[in-house]
């Protein structure tokens, strides 16, 4: 296909953006496929990096071909506001950074993501591409469930990856990332299939619940329950529906326990060990949280040392030993991330980053409330997922992890795009 300027025509008068950029159908299909690959390629080398980099090149191409018109789009202006509220604190954090080059690498990667979002925003304004994305991702989720089932039955999955010694099911992944990638996709798949194939929708809920429970990650089950509660909060459901939905986590746990008694026994012994030890309250809670209080306390020390701009983007692991104060901290020798978005973000970017993050939340709430009711309904699955991920008491990945932030960017693009009037009639 030859790309010409006619592919980026202005909308007729009467549209909200008088110089709107539209995506050619072939390019929109390709961008939808790349969005799916951000999820599908996660178990393999490079993860979401390659499809994200290709999307960034498409975004740069769109900027050159459409000129300033692309920056006049409502969806692009909104994404630009979100981006700047994160990007500027990252630059400011360089003022106190011990390793400025590490912060600059993070800023460079994050800047690439700005352009990667542009084709997604334009593509997902069209309903059929959001539907196509949901259908393709459904196939990926079903494949992962099948692979996890094979790993459970035979000890190894389709790629030869064995389950862990304590019986955890990890699927195609060598770590526990499968669950945290399945859960964000669950609401958009559930709401996509519920009107057409309700049995499939509920089967996906139960299937994902069992798979994430078999991973042995308690935080995933907490996210699963929180999603169900927030979904119910938007419905005028009877007590019977509430009871049925709230039984889903219990059913998932029961099935997982029956399917993997080895993992259930391991978790029970872990819980009993916490209850039986003669430890202080801090140590007992810390043990129950897999020593995450050490991480959060050290993050607090970082923020206290540099409250305004933080210790520097991409610095938490690098300077962890300098701010850890407990002699028995297991992460001094092997630092890891905080398992909390807010702790790591504020530790690295200070109050400036915290204020920016709160401002983003305020903008998203305002955009959602300003939209018409039908637009709110189509944006709700993505908003629900983002609310759960950014719930303050959640223990999930920090934002700027290279394999994780593209997923957050994808969800943000889907939400922002779906809050706009459907542009299907304008797609070529």
């Amino acid at each position: 296909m030859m790309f010409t300027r006619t592919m980026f025509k202005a909308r007729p008068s009467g549209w909200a953006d008088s110089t709107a950029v539209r995506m050619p159908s072939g390019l929109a299909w390709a961008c939808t496929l790349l969005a799916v690959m951000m999820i599908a390629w996660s178990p393999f080398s490079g993860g979401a990096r390659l499809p994200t980099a290709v999307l960034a090149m498409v975004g740069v191409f769109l900027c050159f071909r459409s000129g300033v018109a692309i920056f006049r789009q409502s969806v692009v202006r909104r994404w630009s506001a979100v981006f700047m509220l994160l990007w500027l604190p990252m630059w400011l954090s360089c003022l106190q950074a011990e390793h400025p080059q590490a912060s600059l690498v993070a800023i460079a990667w994050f800047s690439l993501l700005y352009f990667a979002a542009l084709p997604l925003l334009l593509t997902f304004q069209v309903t059929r591409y959001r539907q196509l994305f949901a259908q393709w991702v459904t196939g990926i989720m079903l494949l992962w469930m099948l692979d996890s089932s094979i790993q459970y039955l035979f000890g190894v999955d389709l790629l030869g990856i064995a389950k862990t010694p304590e019986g955890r099911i990890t699927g195609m992944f060598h770590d526990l990332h499968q669950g945290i990638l399945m859960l964000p996709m669950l609401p958009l798949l559930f709401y996509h299939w519920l009107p057409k194939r309700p049995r499939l929708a509920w089967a996906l809920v139960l299937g994902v619940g069992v798979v994430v429970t078999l991973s042995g990650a308690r935080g995933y089950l907490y996210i699963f329950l929180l999603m169900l509660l927030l979904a119910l909060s938007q419905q005028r459901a009877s007590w019977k529906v509430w009871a049925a939905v709230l039984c889903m986590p219990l059913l998932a746990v029961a099935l997982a326990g029956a399917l993997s008694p080895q993992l259930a026994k391991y978790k029970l012994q872990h819980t009993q060990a916490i209850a039986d030890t003669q430890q202080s309250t801090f140590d007992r809670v810390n043990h129950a949280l897999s020593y995450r209080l050490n991480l959060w306390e050290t993050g607090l020390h970082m923020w206290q040392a540099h409250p305004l701009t933080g210790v520097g983007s991409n610095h938490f692991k690098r300077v962890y030993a300098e701010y850890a104060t407990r002699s028995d901290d297991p992460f001094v020798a092997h630092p890891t991330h905080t398992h909390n978005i807010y702790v790591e973000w504020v530790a690295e970017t200070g109050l400036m980053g915290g204020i920016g993050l709160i401002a983003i939340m305020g903008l998203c709430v305002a955009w959602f409330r300003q939209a018409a009711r039908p637009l709110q309904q189509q944006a709700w699955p993505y908003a629900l997922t983002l609310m759960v991920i950014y719930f303050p008491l959640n223990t999930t990945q920090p934002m700027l992890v290279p394999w994780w932030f593209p997923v957050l960017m994808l969800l943000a693009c889907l939400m922002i795009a779906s809050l706009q009037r459907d542009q299907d009639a304008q797609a070529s």
Side-chain angles (χ1 to χ4, degrees):
M1 177 185 297
M2 294 183 61
F3 292 97
T4 64
R5 292 188 181 273
T6 59
M7 291 181 178
F8 303 99
K9 297 177 182 177
R11 290 180 188 158
S13 60
W15 289 82
D17 299 319
S18 59
T19 57
V21 176
R22 74 183 193 185
M23 292 284 284
S25 59
L27 186 58
W29 272 74
C31 290
T32 304
L33 178 60
L34 288 169
V36 174
M37 291 303 296
M38 291 169 67
I39 306 298
W41 198 253
S42 295
F44 308 113
S45 177
R49 293 175 180 85
L50 179 58
T52 302
V54 176
L55 282 167
M57 289 189 284
V58 175
V60 172
F61 169 78
L62 291 174
C63 291
F64 276 109
R65 297 301 295 179
S66 61
V68 297
I70 194 171
F71 300 104
R72 294 173 181 161
Q73 313 309 300
S74 176
V75 290
V76 175
R77 291 199 304 269
R78 289 181 172 184
W79 166 245
S80 299
V82 170
F83 175 82
M84 292 299 291
L85 287 169
L86 297 175
W87 191 65
L88 290 177
M90 292 176 69
W91 276 106
L92 291 174
S93 74
C94 293
L95 297 175
Q96 302 290 337
E98 293 187 22
H99 307 280
Q101 67 277 11
S103 294
L104 292 175
V105 168
I107 292 170
W109 167 249
F110 189 68
S111 301
L112 192 69
L113 293 172
Y114 174 79
F115 294 98
L118 300 182
L120 296 178
L121 290 165
L122 298 178
T123 296
F124 289 135
Q125 284 188 97
V126 182
T127 299
R128 72 169 180 265
Y129 294 121
R130 295 196 302 270
Q131 294 174 341
L132 187 63
F133 175 79
Q135 292 165 7
W136 287 352
V137 171
T138 299
I140 300 301
M141 295 297 105
L142 291 174
L143 175 61
W144 286 2
M145 290 181 199
L146 174 62
D147 183 75
S148 296
S149 301
I150 292 173
Q151 189 180 59
Y152 166 76
L153 292 172
F154 301 103
V156 294
D157 78 330
L158 294 170
L159 302 180
I161 299 173
K163 59 184 177 181
T164 66
E166 63 271 18
R168 295 175 187 262
I169 301 300
T170 62
M172 296 182 180
F173 296 77
H174 293 280
D175 45 37
L176 299 179
H177 290 173
Q178 177 175 254
I180 198 60
L181 289 168
M182 293 181 82
L183 286 168
M185 298 297 108
L186 182 57
L188 66 96
L189 302 185
F190 175 76
Y191 284 105
H192 173 77
W193 292 112
L194 187 61
K196 313 169 191 177
R197 297 184 179 178
R199 291 183 180 179
L200 175 59
W202 287 109
L204 286 169
V205 172
L206 182 58
V208 170
V210 172
V211 169
V212 300
T213 305
L214 285 173
S215 73
R218 294 162 298 174
Y220 295 170
L221 189 60
Y222 168 73
I223 293 172
F224 183 57
L225 177 59
L226 189 58
M227 280 183 171
L228 293 177
L229 290 174
L230 283 175
L232 279 176
S233 69
Q234 287 294 105
Q235 307 295 325
R236 294 181 179 179
S238 66
W239 69 269
K240 293 182 179 179
V241 174
W242 273 87
V245 172
L246 292 179
C247 281
M248 295 295 286
L250 297 176
L251 183 58
V253 171
L255 287 173
L259 292 171
S260 184
Q262 179 186 1
L263 180 59
K265 182 180 179 180
Y266 169 79
K267 286 294 182 181
L268 180 61
Q269 290 174 344
H270 179 74
T271 304
Q272 289 174 339
I274 295 171
D276 293 342
T277 54
Q278 301 298 319
Q279 296 177 322
S280 66
T281 301
F282 177 91
D283 290 334
R284 187 170 297 182
V285 174
N286 193 29
H287 189 188
L289 293 174
S290 302
Y291 302 100
R292 288 173 186 171
L293 287 185
N294 289 118
L295 298 167
W296 300 342
E297 182 183 56
T298 304
L300 176 62
H301 293 159
M302 293 180 190
W303 174 75
Q304 288 174 333
H306 304 286
L308 191 60
T309 59
V311 296
S313 297
N314 197 22
H315 267 60
F316 186 83
K317 294 181 183 179
R318 296 174 183 272
V319 300
Y320 185 90
E322 299 177 29
Y323 294 91
T325 57
R326 296 182 182 268
S327 59
D328 59 346
D329 189 336
F331 302 112
V332 172
H334 304 285
T336 184
H337 62 82
T338 61
H339 292 274
N340 185 280
I341 285 175
Y342 297 94
V343 173
E344 187 151 335
W345 181 248
V346 173
E348 291 188 339
T349 61
L351 282 175
M352 300 303 295
I355 292 171
L357 193 55
I358 293 173
I360 290 172
M361 295 177 184
L363 285 174
C364 290
V365 170
W367 295 334
F368 190 87
R369 294 181 59 132
Q370 291 169 3
R373 181 65 178 173
L375 298 180
Q376 290 180 354
Q377 290 175 343
Q378 67 183 21
W380 169 245
Y382 320 114
L384 167 62
T385 300
L386 289 170
M387 282 193 294
V388 171
I389 291 173
Y390 284 91
F391 188 69
L393 300 181
N394 205 347
T395 58
T396 184
Q397 304 291 329
M399 282 195 299
L400 298 184
V401 178
W403 64 267
W404 177 236
F405 189 81
V407 179
L408 300 180
M409 176 198 71
L410 173 60
L411 291 168
C413 289
L414 284 163
M415 189 193 77
I416 292 172
S418 59
L419 284 173
Q420 299 298 310
R421 188 165 40 170
D422 188 0
Q423 304 305 317
D424 203 1
Q426 291 298 309
S428 47

